[in-house]
Amino acid sequence: MVQLTATPLSALVDEPVHIQITGLSPFQVVTLQASLKDEKENMFYSHAYYRANKVGKVDLEYDSALGGDYVGVHPMGLFWSLKPKKLLTRLLKKDVMNSPFRVQIKLCDLQSPLRNQDTSTSMVSVTLERWYVAPGVTRIPVEEGRLRGALFLPSGEGPFPGVIDLFGGIGGLSEHRSSLLASRGFASLALAYWGYKDLPSQLQKLDLEYFEEASNFLLRHPKVFGQGIGVISTSKGAEIGLSMAIYLKQVTATILINGPNSPYGIPYVYRGYTHQSIPYSLQFLSTNALGFIEFQGIYEKIGVEASQSLFPIEKAHGHFLFIVGEDDKSINSKEHAKKAIEKLRRHGKKNWTLLSYPGAGHLIEPPYSPLCWASKMPNLHWGGEVIAHAAAQEHSWKEIQKFLRKHLIPVVTSQL
Amino acid sequence: MFQLTATPPNGLADEPVHIRVTGLPPAQMVTLKASLKDEKGNLFQSKAFYRANEAGEVDLERAPALGGDYVGVHAMGLFWSLKPEKAFRRLLKRDVINNPFKVTLDLYDSVCLQDSTTAQPRASQMVQRWFLGPGVQRKQIREGRVRGALFIPPGEGPFPGIIDLFGSIGGLVEFRASLLATHGFAVLALAYFAYEDLPDKLLELDLEYFEEAANFLLAHPKIQRPGIGVISVSKGAEIGLAMACYLKQVVATVCISGSNAILEIPLRYRDLLVTPMRFDWECIQIHVSGAVRLRSGNRDSRNEMNQQSVLPVEKAQGCILFIVGENDECLNTRAYAEQAMDQLKSHGRSSGKMLVYPGAGHLIEPPYAPLCFASWSPALPRPVLWGGDPVAHAAAQEHSWREIQKFFRQHFSGTGIKYS
């Protein structure tokens, strides 16, 4: 009798699942297919072909996929290789508290990859719950002063290390990373700064005092360590994260994921002073063979150069973790990080770590998130090779947590 | 006053266009956009950013594009970098007689990213791209089982006869035949499935059908005897190679992006049955875009197990030109062509020639056709990955088109060949 097991059936989305099949014929080739329907009813699919061993068993922790959406030994391959049925649809959980993503894993006979995924018949299937929040985590909507966002608190008394979570050009409020960080013991404030409620509908200037307000709000919270907070930030958010690390002494640990080392496009305002930024050189954009736009060329070399960068990164007194996807097509992230680090070095600073991932793209997310390779409006190519990007997400997520704990949890020394 | 000129404004689709802008302020950044709507209303667009020189000019034959859909000096870049608004659509001219493709060129006096719904172009020019030259006649063919369209150049003839075969797209694709006819050949665009009363699906290759087509051509008063040529791409090239091997009527064959073995479905010719080499479905990988990469499931035609599917090229009486792209993501065409060339050599034949194009993909078409990197294929739920690097692919199309015409001219004997 053919059996398909997946353990655990219900887990946090950043936890691995062990998938096994027993009861097949020796050396039988089968198809494993995963499917997921998101909150807007968009379908996502992935599949891989496996050959059973001589006792009719397949174990995804040891066996190599022969083909499909990935090849090789990848126990979580079915998750991170999920692809939207409708091109350019991004998988993003909006309601992180009340429902999981449900992933159905189906075991089928060997089927041509050219058959319609909607109609494949299965021998056996199992449905998994993938949660963005651990039991006991609370979500507190934030509407204090100008601040708009959501604060996620771990279960328990605390205090917890506090982190501000900033996304980029997507705008609005993305909560999925904060809810997961809270599930891992951090008080995480998912902070919106444009395109959300009564915040500006377009990003025309960046008011650093807004982010200072957010930092103070978090530090003041009775369940957050009062010595300093962290920032985790991606893309345009990482530009802001960098400015916070430099100008706000409240920030003592900053994670910059694929961000520029200078302010670009729009001015920064802080305490009455307007900081200039570098205009984008749009004439240097390129496109890939499918016509998706790549922005990596629009960041003027002059701004990337350590001596020309407008951010005095050497003034930051906290710690930096640079996370770079070397295949990022949206920004030449590797160059930006390299030049920022050169500047720190020239000033004798050692307060940085660089994680540079070959083959990873722009959107480095928590582990097992499918690679979002391109998005709509305009059609943008983010870059990334599926397998390398998945590995980068897994590795960086562990490093992110280690970094935040190291620099935000006060070390208690003996009083003896 | 800005002036945008494109010369010639009406020309053949395989002829270059010289685009120039004058009257700009010195060093002004401009955007040049091209757009085209195909016969089904699908929009294709391209753009590039240029900087005017001190004389306020941009001459696409000299000036490098700084960015956009291509970078560097590419006089025809706006044409071959056209991209579908809806991904995975392929640009293909269906009606070659009655109308051209109309390409609109727009000039914007800034770096213009947004679509033309917001900004207004400062100058515009429309360029017509025809797939048929003056005097070339088209005749619908329904003779015996043969279904297709015959293109005959103007004049008395006789002209070298060529059969044109496309691939698994099916139906009747005429634009290459009509262009080749404009260059002095009598070309029969031949359908073999999913057209009129031909089978809906390709379940078997019946070589006698293609022999009937060859004999039909040879019986035509305006077509040279005693032999015909074949130009063929993809699945069509497999058929073309089989024709070269088994039909003495075929004296010159161009196989573009084809296999040297029969694939997936059997070939039948009189008593002969050639069993196909199959794809390894379980090895086939999906590209990050969701398109299927058939090449990952290609089997090795040199493997002993597959020899009964390999075509006996040493039996071909005429000459064969293999054209392959190294970035072909559908078939490992380089390996297949190399095996065929080795087979010819080992039988003491020097009748084969191979052109390998680094960076070119599967769909090598006449010059200035946009690279189709992946597209929907009939009856398949996923797009198929064809591959190709845009700049290298464009260069391969330009070079190979000249080589194809040279090849046919060299291998057709006799007088009365008209060059145009």
Side-chain angles (χ1 to χ4, degrees):
Chain A
M1 200 194 57
V2 179
Q3 262 202 314
L4 169 67
T5 58
T7 325
L9 278 178
S10 181
L12 279 177
V13 84
D14 64 354
E15 276 172 27
V17 176
H18 187 189
I19 298 172
Q20 292 176 283
I21 310 166
T22 54
L24 296 169
S25 311
F27 312 116
Q28 182 180 357
V29 180
V30 290
T31 312
L32 269 174
Q33 185 195 86
S35 60
L36 176 160
K37 192 191 278 195
D38 77 1
E39 290 149 308
K40 295 199 181 126
E41 316 252 300
N42 296 307
M43 290 304 300
F44 293 77
Y45 294 102
S46 64
H47 74 278
Y49 303 110
Y50 286 91
R51 177 174 280 117
N53 65 9
K54 58 179 193 269
V55 297
K57 188 173 168 190
V58 174
D59 184 328
L60 262 57
E61 280 189 7
Y62 304 107
D63 292 321
S64 193
L66 306 168
D69 282 288
Y70 60 96
V71 285
V73 182
H74 300 289
M76 290 298 284
L78 288 170
F79 295 83
W80 46 249
S81 71
L82 280 167
K83 296 191 174 64
K85 185 170 181 193
K86 205 168 117 201
L87 181 69
L88 302 178
T89 310
R90 185 170 168 184
L91 184 65
L92 257 175
K93 193 76 169 72
K94 282 295 173 186
D95 175 8
V96 296
M97 294 301 292
N98 301 309
S99 61
F101 269 147
R102 288 192 171 84
V103 181
Q104 188 186 43
I105 311 277
K106 280 203 297 208
L107 172 64
C108 317
D109 277 322
L110 173 62
Q111 288 173 358
S112 160
L114 299 180
R115 273 197 53 180
N116 203 320
Q117 291 158 120
D118 296 330
T119 59
S120 51
T121 49
S122 64
M123 292 184 233
V124 69
S125 74
V126 86
T127 300
L128 297 157
E129 289 187 343
R130 307 291 289 160
W131 287 90
Y132 280 82
V133 79
V137 167
T138 48
R139 175 187 185 275
I140 301 161
V142 173
E143 296 217 350
E144 295 253 332
R146 294 191 289 167
L147 301 179
R148 299 290 175 264
L151 175 64
F152 290 87
L153 291 173
S155 59
E157 282 310 305
F160 308 106
V163 184
I164 294 181
D165 182 356
L166 298 169
F167 274 87
I170 192 177
L173 185 63
S174 293
E175 304 185 16
H176 61 279
R177 187 165 61 188
S178 282
S179 60
L180 278 172
L181 282 171
S183 306
R184 298 296 174 193
F186 300 91
S188 187
L189 172 61
L191 184 66
Y193 53 99
W194 72 282
Y196 185 74
K197 297 196 172 177
D198 54 347
L199 289 170
S201 57
Q202 275 181 347
L203 206 49
Q204 283 173 341
K205 70 169 164 45
L206 279 162
D207 181 359
L208 217 47
E209 287 181 65
Y210 174 80
F211 300 92
E212 186 166 39
E213 233 180 279
S215 307
N216 291 334
F217 162 79
L218 194 56
L219 268 174
R220 271 200 314 265
H221 198 286
K223 285 194 173 179
V224 175
F225 280 119
Q227 287 89 335
I229 56 145
V231 172
I232 180 169
S233 51
T234 304
S235 192
K236 187 73 179 174
E239 197 185 298
I240 299 167
L242 182 52
S243 71
M244 289 171 75
I246 294 165
Y247 295 107
L248 307 178
K249 56 183 178 354
Q250 303 90 325
V251 176
T252 54
T254 312
I255 299 167
L256 304 170
I257 304 172
N258 291 324
N261 66 1
S262 305
Y264 274 89
I266 53 174
Y268 280 69
V269 209
Y270 185 50
R271 299 195 176 170
Y273 186 71
T274 302
H275 291 254
Q276 55 176 167
S277 64
I278 303 167
Y280 294 110
S281 303
L282 290 175
Q283 67 268 27
F284 296 122
L285 68 74
S286 54
T287 60
N288 74 357
L290 283 172
F292 302 141
I293 296 170
E294 297 169 340
F295 277 131
Q296 56 181 331
I298 69 176
Y299 294 85
E300 281 260 22
K301 281 213 161 24
I302 197 164
V304 180
E305 284 305 312
S307 54
Q308 300 285 347
S309 163
L310 299 184
F311 273 144
I313 190 173
E314 66 279 5
K315 290 197 183 153
H317 70 270
H319 281 80
F320 288 107
L321 175 60
F322 292 91
I323 294 180
V324 164
E326 293 185 7
D327 200 52
D328 192 336
K329 298 294 184 192
S330 178
I331 175 174
N332 46 346
S333 175
K334 186 170 180 176
E335 263 309 289
H336 280 268
K338 181 175 167 210
K339 297 295 183 179
I341 288 167
E342 263 172 34
K343 205 173 193 203
L344 285 171
R345 274 203 173 114
R346 278 209 325 270
H347 285 88
K349 311 278 280 184
K350 296 194 173 133
N351 55 340
W352 54 271
T353 307
L354 168 66
L355 292 172
S356 191
Y357 295 101
H362 187 66
L363 298 175
I364 297 177
E365 294 261 50
Y368 321 129
S369 308
L371 166 63
C372 182
W373 176 72
S375 296
K376 290 193 254 255
M377 277 161 37
N379 291 0
L380 285 182
H381 181 206
W382 300 116
E385 296 156 19
V386 182
I387 294 176
H389 192 92
Q393 290 186 154
E394 247 187 280
H395 185 267
S396 62
W397 188 240
K398 295 200 207 40
E399 295 297 310
I400 282 166
Q401 295 173 61
K402 266 196 323 211
F403 174 83
L404 290 172
R405 285 189 189 108
K406 180 175 177 185
H407 296 294
L408 296 178
I409 297 179
V411 175
V412 180
T413 50
S414 168
Q415 297 290 339
L416 287 172
Chain B
M1 222 236 343
F2 309 141
Q3 250 209 321
L4 168 64
T5 58
T7 322
N10 283 355
L12 285 174
D14 65 350
E15 274 171 19
V17 178
H18 186 188
I19 298 171
R20 278 180 79 221
V21 186
T22 54
L24 295 164
Q28 170 73 44
M29 293 287 312
V30 296
T31 305
L32 271 170
K33 253 184 90 168
S35 53
L36 173 163
K37 260 211 180 131
D38 74 3
E39 290 148 308
K40 292 197 183 128
N42 294 308
L43 184 62
F44 291 76
Q45 294 175 302
S46 63
K47 63 176 167 297
F49 309 113
Y50 287 90
R51 188 186 293 283
N53 61 13
E54 313 85 59
E57 288 179 355
V58 175
D59 183 332
L60 262 56
E61 282 185 4
R62 274 184 267 284
L66 304 170
D69 282 294
Y70 59 95
V71 172
V73 183
H74 297 288
M76 288 297 283
L78 288 171
F79 292 84
W80 52 249
S81 70
L82 282 167
K83 306 224 170 48
E85 192 185 25
K86 290 192 198 138
F88 305 134
R89 297 270 146 114
R90 183 173 167 184
L91 184 65
L92 231 165
K93 191 75 171 74
R94 290 289 180 179
D95 177 0
V96 298
I97 289 279
N98 296 309
N99 45 55
F101 269 149
K102 296 191 173 95
V103 180
T104 303
L105 298 171
D106 290 317
L107 170 74
Y108 298 84
D109 62 348
S110 62
V111 177
C112 186
L113 197 61
Q114 302 300 91
D115 285 335
S116 52
T117 44
T118 46
Q120 283 303 308
R122 299 304 301 267
S124 275
Q125 192 62 242
M126 207 257 279
V127 175
Q128 292 189 351
R129 310 290 285 158
W130 288 90
F131 286 83
L132 196 77
V136 177
Q137 289 190 321
R138 176 192 187 277
K139 182 162 190 278
Q140 186 73 31
I141 302 300
R142 290 183 185 107
E143 299 275 326
R145 291 192 292 165
V146 180
R147 300 289 175 268
L150 178 61
F151 293 91
I152 307 244
E156 284 307 306
F159 307 101
I162 296 176
I163 290 179
D164 181 321
L165 298 167
F166 269 78
S168 50
I169 192 176
L172 185 63
V173 181
E174 305 184 20
F175 71 88
R176 186 176 59 196
S178 57
L179 278 173
L180 206 48
T182 307
H183 297 297
F185 304 92
V187 189
L188 172 64
L190 183 64
Y192 51 100
F193 79 104
Y195 185 74
E196 295 198 345
D197 54 348
L198 291 169
D200 277 334
K201 290 200 176 129
L202 199 57
L203 296 174
E204 173 174 275
L205 292 174
D206 174 9
L207 210 55
E208 286 182 70
Y209 171 78
F210 300 91
E211 185 166 38
E212 228 182 285
N215 290 336
F216 157 77
L217 260 189
L218 283 168
H220 195 286
K222 282 198 171 177
I223 287 170
Q224 280 180 15
R225 263 151 264 195
I228 57 144
V230 174
I231 180 170
S232 50
V233 66
S234 194
K235 188 70 180 174
E238 204 180 298
I239 299 168
L241 191 57
M243 290 172 76
C245 295
Y246 295 113
L247 307 180
K248 57 181 177 357
Q249 301 91 326
V250 176
V251 298
T253 311
V254 174
C255 296
I256 306 168
S257 302
S259 158
N260 69 328
I262 296 298
L263 298 179
E264 279 301 296
I265 58 171
L267 174 91
R268 228 175 256 284
Y269 180 53
R270 300 189 184 166
D271 305 332
L272 177 72
L273 175 69
V274 181
T275 50
M277 188 169 81
R278 299 204 170 271
F279 280 103
D280 266 327
W281 292 113
E282 66 263 23
C283 295
I284 288 181
Q285 292 167 30
I286 308 295
H287 182 256
V288 67
S289 66
V292 63
R293 187 177 177 262
L294 291 172
R295 182 169 168 165
S296 44
N298 281 189
R299 289 206 184 150
D300 182 5
S301 58
R302 288 190 199 260
N303 189 308
E304 291 167 356
M305 306 252 292
N306 297 323
Q307 290 319 298
Q308 77 274 24
S309 311
V310 173
L311 287 167
V313 287
E314 65 280 2
K315 288 195 179 155
Q317 295 184 3
C319 297
I320 308 171
L321 173 61
F322 296 97
I323 293 176
V324 300
E326 286 195 321
N327 284 28
D328 190 330
E329 297 286 10
C330 177
L331 293 177
N332 190 353
T333 44
R334 182 179 181 156
Y336 293 146
E338 279 174 348
Q339 191 197 3
M341 291 291 293
D342 285 346
Q343 223 172 305
L344 285 168
K345 225 187 294 185
S346 68
H347 284 88
R349 308 289 309 277
S350 57
S351 49
K353 184 177 171 183
M354 183 170 73
L355 291 170
V356 179
Y357 293 99
H362 186 73
L363 296 177
I364 298 174
E365 303 214 324
Y368 320 127
L371 165 67
C372 186
F373 186 77
S375 66
W376 295 111
S377 229
L380 293 181
R382 287 187 194 269
V384 177
L385 197 70
W386 307 118
D389 164 77
V391 174
H393 193 91
Q397 291 186 155
E398 263 183 89
H399 186 267
S400 61
W401 189 238
R402 284 194 295 269
E403 292 296 310
I404 286 167
Q405 293 173 62
K406 250 187 355 198
F407 172 79
F408 282 132
R409 287 194 183 104
Q410 277 167 9
H411 291 97
F412 279 103
S413 59
T415 55
I417 299 175
K418 286 214 169 208
Y419 297 147
S420 62

